[in-house]
Amino acid sequence: ELNQKISGDVYWDPVRVYMLSTDASIYRREPVAVVYPKSTRDVIRTVKLAAAKGLPIHSRGAGSGLCGSAIGTGIVIDFTRYMNRLIKIDDADGYFECQPGYRFGELEAALGATRLFFPPAPSSGEYATFGGMYGTNASGSQSVKYGNVADYILDAEVVLSNGDRFTLSDILARSFDNLPENLKKLYLLYAGQSREIETAYPQIRYNSSGYNLRGLVKKDRLDLTGLFAGSEGTLGIVTRLRFRLVPKPSHDSLVVVGFDDIVSSARAVQKILPMGPSGIEILEKSLLKLVRETDPGLKDKIPGEVDNI
């Protein structure tokens, strides 16, 4: 039935289903079917049919997540085959637009010699997709200075579970009276609990525990950019994204420090943070041991008594 409704590809054979039954996590869940949409219309029709059949939807990018968020027993929508294009790079205004299957590594190549870059860089960045990065609110080693993907989203096109489509900027421009009923309820939920939402949780840079309700209403307008970031496709499916780019730093440097134990390195971080580093990484002793054993060029450069660097 779905095959007749969309222009993209639909598979439900054992091989295809098995191939997308896992990701980079330890979990395995076989879906009912796998869909490779070619357009937002394909996504809408898939979502509507899934709702009519009582099936969950699982958005999937590179499948590089470690928590199993790209797998499930319903319909997997994989954006990497067709909806993977860069739509626009605007050097003058410092932003780019893309489809959810577009990869971070491709953006770095496209920016080339420009003086702009996209700071959030997860370890899987070469092949991670921007739909997945936004869905998980990805960060990376530079998040200490530059923050997370949610800090750079400007707009997105979203498809809800009933097939409705809107852009985040369109919702932000509407007054309360012009919001659809479901979003009015969301607005009132925040309004009634705003004090607890804004003050009960510690003011930390990164929080991926539950839905991010902070800053949901700004100047009497509903701002969904932070809420959809990290929601892992459970609130809606993103089919187009616009992100902010920032100027590259004029220079950079790397400092490597060895420590005798993990407590000492943790204490050092507290002294380093006020200096404004762009990133902090730790390599623990088992990894250092592996490096010394497998790379002759580094064997003499990493002292054997070092616990971590």
Side-chain angles (χ1 to χ4, degrees):
E1 184 178 348
L2 184 59
N3 222 354
Q4 297 170 354
K5 290 179 178 292
I6 70 172
S7 58
D9 303 333
V10 184
Y11 299 100
W12 56 91
D13 61 283
V15 173
R16 299 277 184 172
V17 165
Y18 186 80
M19 287 172 61
L20 294 191
S21 65
T22 187
D23 53 11
S25 71
I26 62 173
Y27 309 110
R28 183 181 301 280
R29 303 289 283 174
E30 289 195 7
V32 170
V34 178
V35 174
Y36 295 93
K38 287 187 176 181
S39 64
T40 300
R41 185 179 66 174
D42 280 357
V43 174
I44 292 173
R45 290 181 174 180
T46 301
V47 166
K48 285 185 174 180
L49 185 137
K53 303 294 184 182
L55 294 170
I57 289 287
H58 317 287
S59 301
R60 185 182 179 101
S64 58
L66 301 176
C67 303
S69 55
I71 61 176
T73 57
I75 298 176
V76 170
I77 301 182
D78 191 322
F79 292 97
T80 57
R81 178 174 291 184
Y82 298 120
M83 296 185 68
N84 57 10
R85 295 186 302 107
L86 172 65
I87 298 170
K88 179 181 183 181
I89 293 179
D90 191 314
D91 293 346
D93 291 330
Y95 72 86
F96 73 97
E97 293 183 9
C98 67
Q99 293 178 312
Y102 186 61
R103 301 180 188 276
F104 177 82
E106 294 175 304
L107 175 69
E108 288 193 312
L111 290 174
T114 68
R115 301 185 62 84
L116 299 172
F117 81 120
F118 186 74
S123 58
S124 59
E126 183 178 349
Y127 49 89
T129 66
F130 281 98
M133 289 170 63
Y134 182 52
T136 57
N137 194 18
S139 55
S141 62
Q142 298 187 100
S143 63
V144 176
K145 179 176 182 177
Y146 291 107
N148 312 305
V149 169
D151 299 314
Y152 296 87
I153 185 72
L154 296 175
D155 201 2
E157 180 182 69
V158 180
V159 175
L160 298 182
S161 60
N162 60 359
D164 287 349
R165 173 175 55 175
F166 61 78
T167 62
L168 302 184
S169 58
D170 173 51
I171 297 301
L172 185 61
R174 298 188 190 187
S175 65
F176 174 81
D177 292 336
N178 291 320
L179 291 174
E181 288 303 315
N182 56 344
L183 295 185
K184 283 183 179 180
K185 292 179 180 179
L186 184 60
Y187 185 110
L188 294 174
L189 171 69
Y190 175 87
Q193 307 291 332
S194 60
R195 184 176 182 278
E196 289 78 5
I197 290 171
E198 298 294 343
T199 63
Y201 198 86
Q203 293 291 332
I204 57 177
R205 291 294 302 271
Y206 187 61
N207 171 23
S208 58
S209 302
Y211 294 124
N212 179 23
L213 295 171
R214 282 184 172 177
L216 190 61
V217 176
K218 298 175 181 176
K219 297 181 179 179
D220 296 326
R221 292 290 191 271
L222 191 63
D223 186 349
L224 299 174
T225 53
L227 178 63
F228 277 93
S231 64
E232 299 185 356
T234 59
L235 299 178
I237 300 176
V238 174
T239 54
R240 181 170 175 152
L241 304 114
R242 176 184 289 192
F243 290 105
R244 177 170 60 94
L245 297 168
V246 300
K248 293 179 181 177
S250 58
H251 61 277
D252 57 38
S253 61
L254 174 67
V255 178
V256 180
V257 185
F259 294 94
D260 295 331
D261 56 77
I262 196 71
V263 175
S264 298
S265 58
R267 287 174 175 163
V269 169
Q270 305 308 312
K271 296 181 180 296
I272 294 170
L273 284 174
M275 302 177 187
S278 64
I280 299 176
E281 285 275 20
I282 184 170
L283 302 178
E284 47 84 37
K285 56 186 176 183
S286 63
L287 182 57
L288 297 180
K289 181 175 181 292
L290 180 63
V291 170
R292 281 193 294 265
E293 292 174 349
T294 58
D295 192 330
L298 293 175
K299 182 177 181 180
D300 297 331
K301 293 182 173 62
I302 303 175
E305 67 273 13
V306 171
D307 179 84
N308 64 87
I309 59 175

